[in-house]
Structure formats: C-alpha cells, structure tokens
Amino acid sequence: QVQLVESGGGLVQAGGSLRLSCAASVHTFSAYVMAWFRQAPGKEREFVARVTWRGQLLYADSLKGRFTISRDNAKNTVYLQMNSLKPEDTAVYYCAADPSGADLSAFSYWGQGTQVTISS
C-alpha cells in the first residue's frame, strides 16, 4: 500500500512560483514512477508531469519550460516546481504513484490533492 500526502499549495499572484511536495509512505519509493496531475473546476483531470525511478522526465507539452518535476528517493518525496504561474493553472494538484507509470490514465495510487489558486 502506498500513501501519498501533498503539500505546498496556496494562493499566489500571476507570475509567481510555488513548489509542491508529495511525501510517500512506502517501503520502496525508488521503485515507483511518480507523477503530478491536476483538475481545474469543471474540467477533467489532466496530466502534468512524470518522473521514473531513473529520473526520466515527461511533461505535458503545454507546461514545458514552466514546471519542473523532481524526486528525492532518500526522502521519499517528489516535487513540482511551478514558475510563471497563470490564472489558468488554478486547480487541485494531485500526486500519483505507479509501479509502471506507462499508462498515464492508470496510476494506482493517489494523494488527496492540494489546491493551487492563481490570482490575476
């Protein structure tokens, strides 16, 4: 069983930055592919970024250059650094984990989400 707890969300003005953290309670964190997703009001959940256990990165095309995912296997934590934030980045951000991570629609474990609100 994997438990994920996100933190770091909040209210930020447009152009600002936030760093989200996701702490995982799991024996072998390094064996899991970690990802961030988000869901804006009235919209479907969408993929943000993914990092494999070897550090291979994948980003949603629309977010490349502004968002950076990273992981610290020693701390069982994955991060999402978000820069140049825009009002359209407002959403609940979810951390997810999966042994494979190959299917972005089928991650096995999810956190409860953290709210990110960007004011204009």
Side-chain angles (χ1 to χ4, degrees):
Q1 187 70 13
V2 179
Q3 291 185 322
L4 304 171
V5 179
E6 302 97 334
S7 61
L11 173 63
V12 176
Q13 284 190 331
S17 299
L18 274 177
R19 188 175 83 153
L20 305 182
S21 300
C22 172
S25 296
V26 62
H27 233 2
T28 53
F29 176 74
S30 60
Y32 286 82
V33 175
M34 302 299 297
W36 288 95
F37 295 78
R38 69 184 184 182
Q39 187 166 18
K43 295 187 177 181
E44 293 188 354
R45 186 172 61 199
E46 65 173 348
F47 168 74
V48 174
R50 182 189 72 187
V51 57
T52 69
W53 63 273
R54 291 193 298 178
Q56 295 170 310
L57 306 176
L58 178 69
Y59 293 96
D61 286 341
S62 61
L63 300 176
K64 284 181 182 177
R66 294 196 300 122
F67 288 18
T68 303
I69 189 172
S70 61
R71 66 189 295 162
D72 186 336
N73 290 336
K75 294 182 178 181
N76 282 18
T77 302
V78 62
Y79 304 97
L80 184 69
Q81 178 67 43
M82 305 185 293
N83 298 326
S84 302
L85 285 162
K86 306 174 182 180
E88 50 264 43
D89 294 319
T90 295
V92 177
Y93 284 72
Y94 296 92
C95 174
D98 191 81
S100 167
D103 184 348
L104 296 179
S105 66
F107 268 67
S108 301
Y109 304 99
W110 294 83
Q112 82 288 351
T114 186
Q115 176 70 47
V116 171
T117 303
I118 311 302
S119 63
S120 57

